[in-house]
Structure formats: structure tokens, C-alpha cells
Amino acid sequence: MFRALAAMFTGALIVGACSTESSDSGPGIEPSMTHTFEALAIDVGQELSNVCQSWSLDNDEPIFVSKVRQRNDGAWHHSNWYFVPENVYPGPDGTWDCNQRGFGDVSAALAGGVFFAQSTQTMQELQAFPDGAVVEIPPRHKIVGGVHLVNITGTPLETSLSFDIETLPEEDIEIRLRPISFTNTALDIEPKAASRFELSCNLGEQFELYLGQPADYNIYYVLAHFHEWGNYFRLSFVDDDDAERTVFELKNSIGEPLGATFDPPIPSEGAPWLRVECGYLNDTDRRLRYGLGGQEMCVFLAYTDADLVIGATSGENTPMGQSEDGVYMNETSCGPVLAVPAM
């Protein structure tokens, strides 16, 4: 889902240090903008990938996005959406072949920024930030997304995706948010067993390098991503002495929103490390690895008030044996951690 977002810089059960508002699809959005993309036809059992859709905003002024609600008619396995300048991926808006225009999550995120990421198979989902917090879309930009559809129903579908967007006037803005994303591509999940994979990355080095200060920031929103075998996710701040504070923990199944808004936001308190742990219950007789189509993922996207955009990928995975309750434990080394100072 967000795999290349990290590479570009290379009802849930929620437990956190603060109270949270679940990012479900309930009331609480007054859309300033609404857009429905062209419907896509998908046959029984068919899978669609390498499909892109775009929508030019025709905005002469910045747009300050505080909430985004996604709605679709089914078969949308997942989709990643970005804002990019109008002249990027030139051609008519609507539906087009990603390869023909050179679209990639990497190039899109570098060209502009992250707009929205869909939880696996959710038909409705709300990405909402606390009052006064926004993602800023500069003038003359468009929304572009790479989409992945799978029709597991018994009938052919004509299915479309819509966005309702709530914006703020500039005078009401208190915080401009930037993304952090990790992707663990080193998954090697045991068959007929439960497994967990832990990945820890030192972000303090990037804060010192680019900002000359400790990793002092707040997390406002987190979205987890895994596929049908995923059953656990935890994000934590970690001090140098390995003391750990949970930011976000969930046990969910696909088809449910896997995000949460934190109001008030969760402070890092200077913790240099950020740790993500994903768990799986593999009921198949084959090993599962990272990928689409019958494979798994371990990815998260967070929005923070840091003056850095940060992404990290994985290095080598080390099996750590089974826990007392029979779960296969794994520790994955952190790969490249790359950062871009916020404009």
C-alpha cells in the first residue's frame, strides 16, 4: 500500500497514551469539495492493477485539507492517493495506464505529497485531523492515485470511488502536517501459525542532521496496512535504553478502517526510535512474503508536526524463535532512513 512511499525516502481496538477518535466513516464532515472518479468494470474473480485515476483541482490558491472521507462501491482492495503539480503525468484526467505516464508512488510522493491511503477493502473511511491541523496542497495541483481492485463477489461490478474533502481557511490553521512511513518488505511468515515482525528505526539521527535538535514531535494520525492474514499492529516510541511507549495498537480484520486520529496528539518526548510491529495468522500451508495478490504487507503511515518528511524500509530479518504462546517472533533490522526537510 504505502510501500513506495517509504521507498521514496529510502471499529479498531486502540490503546494509546492519549484518548483517540476512531477514523471511521461516521458523521462529522462538512465537505467543501466532492469528487467521484470514473467507474471501473471488473469481472468475477478479476484483479486490476497498474490502473491510475486523476482529478485536476484547478486551484489558484493553496487548499488546506482537514478531513477526507473515501467511499466506494466495492472491490477496491486498496488505493494510494497523492497531490502533484498539474504538469506531472501529463494527459487527460480520468482513468489511465500507470506505466504509460510513468506513475509510481515514489515519483508521486516526491513530486507533491500524500493525500489519502485506503485501508484494505474498506468501502468507507475517514481520515480526519484534530482542529486546526491540515495537509496543505499548493496551487495548480491535481489528485492522482494508483488503485488495486479485486472482485471476490459472484457478479461483475461497475464500481467507483469518491472523496468528500473538508478544508479550512488559512486563518484557522494551527499545524501543517507531514508524513512518516515505514515498510517492512522482509516478511517471511510461517505457514499454519501465528507470527509477528518487529522493525525499529532511529529517527533521532535525521532530526539532528537536518534540524539540529532531538526527535521532538507529535503524532496526529496513524494508519496501518496489512492484508487478510494480518491480525495485529503496534506503533511505539522507544528510548535509547529500550523503554517503550505505545502510540497505537489494534487488532482488526480487513474491511475495517485501520486508522486513528489522536486528539490531543501523542508526543515523542524526545524518543529517538520509532518501532512498528505487525502480526499475522497464516492459515495456509505456504509461507507468505511481502507483495500483492496472495501475499502480505506491514506498512504504516503517520502524520506529524515534524519539519521533516521521513520514510524507512527494512533490512535483514532475523527469526527469534517461538514465544511461550507459540507465536513465531521476528526482528527486522532497519534499512535506509531518509528524510526531506519540509518546505
Side-chain angles (χ1 to χ4, degrees):
M1 182 179 182
F2 319 115
R3 60 194 184 280
L5 171 61
M8 75 175 174
F9 310 111
T10 33
L13 171 65
I14 302 170
V15 180
C18 304
S19 62
T20 67
E21 175 188 347
S22 176
S23 290
D24 58 22
S25 56
I29 184 169
E30 300 178 3
S32 311
M33 309 170 66
T34 297
H35 182 77
T36 299
F37 290 90
E38 176 185 5
L40 300 175
I42 182 167
D43 206 350
V44 177
Q46 185 181 4
E47 180 176 5
L48 294 179
S49 59
N50 196 41
V51 175
C52 284
Q53 295 191 311
S54 60
W55 162 40
S56 292
L57 297 169
D58 297 323
N59 59 316
D60 292 322
E61 301 293 333
I63 296 173
F64 303 103
V65 176
S66 60
K67 297 178 183 178
V68 180
R69 176 185 287 140
Q70 174 271 137
R71 299 173 282 115
N72 69 74
D73 301 321
W76 290 74
H77 185 269
H78 69 267
S79 55
N80 300 326
W81 301 86
Y82 306 89
F83 54 90
V84 301
E86 291 176 344
N87 62 351
V88 176
Y89 315 123
D93 281 336
T95 303
W96 37 275
D97 183 284
C98 298
N99 285 343
Q100 288 183 357
R101 300 194 193 179
F103 171 85
D105 297 84
V106 174
S107 59
L110 285 172
V114 181
F115 174 70
F116 181 87
Q118 175 199 351
S119 297
T120 304
Q121 293 182 199
T122 53
M123 296 182 69
Q124 295 190 58
E125 186 169 11
L126 178 64
Q127 174 182 283
F129 304 133
D131 291 346
V134 300
V135 168
E136 179 179 345
I137 301 178
R140 310 310 303 183
H141 272 56
K142 62 186 177 185
I143 305 299
V144 58
V147 308
H148 178 214
L149 276 68
V150 180
N151 185 3
I152 60 174
T153 73
T155 58
L157 294 176
E158 292 272 345
T159 180
S160 61
L161 182 142
S162 300
F163 284 128
D164 300 323
I165 303 167
E166 185 172 312
T167 64
L168 291 182
E170 188 166 10
E171 59 267 24
D172 292 342
I173 296 170
E174 299 175 9
I175 298 293
R176 286 169 168 82
L177 301 176
R178 285 98 186 191
I180 290 178
S181 180
F182 287 7
T183 302
N184 189 342
T185 62
L187 302 179
D188 188 7
I189 303 171
E190 295 282 342
K192 299 293 185 180
S195 299
R196 289 193 179 179
F197 291 76
E198 182 182 284
L199 169 66
S200 303
C201 293
N202 188 343
L203 306 188
E205 296 173 349
Q206 305 300 318
F207 277 80
E208 292 289 350
L209 176 63
Y210 289 102
L211 304 179
Q213 65 182 52
D216 189 9
Y217 61 99
N218 299 281
I219 293 180
Y220 288 73
Y221 177 87
V222 174
L223 178 68
H225 179 73
F226 41 57
H227 293 166
E228 54 262 46
W229 296 279
N231 67 352
Y232 181 78
F233 176 89
R234 184 164 65 106
L235 184 69
S236 306
F237 294 123
V238 184
D239 294 322
D240 281 329
D241 61 1
D242 209 38
E244 191 172 12
R245 288 184 296 114
T246 296
V247 177
F248 177 50
E249 184 176 22
L250 63 82
K251 299 174 183 177
N252 254 34
S253 59
I254 62 166
E256 301 174 17
L258 299 182
T261 302
F262 299 96
D263 191 6
I266 310 293
S268 68
E269 298 178 2
W273 294 80
L274 195 60
R275 175 174 294 161
V276 60
E277 184 178 1
C278 293
Y280 308 90
L281 183 58
N282 181 4
D283 58 0
T284 76
D285 58 3
R286 61 187 175 88
R287 304 186 77 86
L288 301 175
R289 293 181 171 83
Y290 180 86
L292 299 174
Q295 301 297 335
E296 263 299 344
M297 290 189 178
C298 176
V299 190
F300 83 88
L301 169 68
Y303 283 99
T304 82
D305 57 7
D307 287 331
L308 292 174
V309 179
I310 299 174
T313 56
S314 55
E316 295 288 331
N317 185 69
T318 303
M320 304 301 292
Q322 288 180 275
S323 65
E324 291 183 358
D325 53 0
V327 177
Y328 285 90
M329 307 301 293
N330 295 264
E331 291 186 4
T332 307
S333 63
C334 188
V337 178
L338 300 179
V340 177
M343 298 297 292

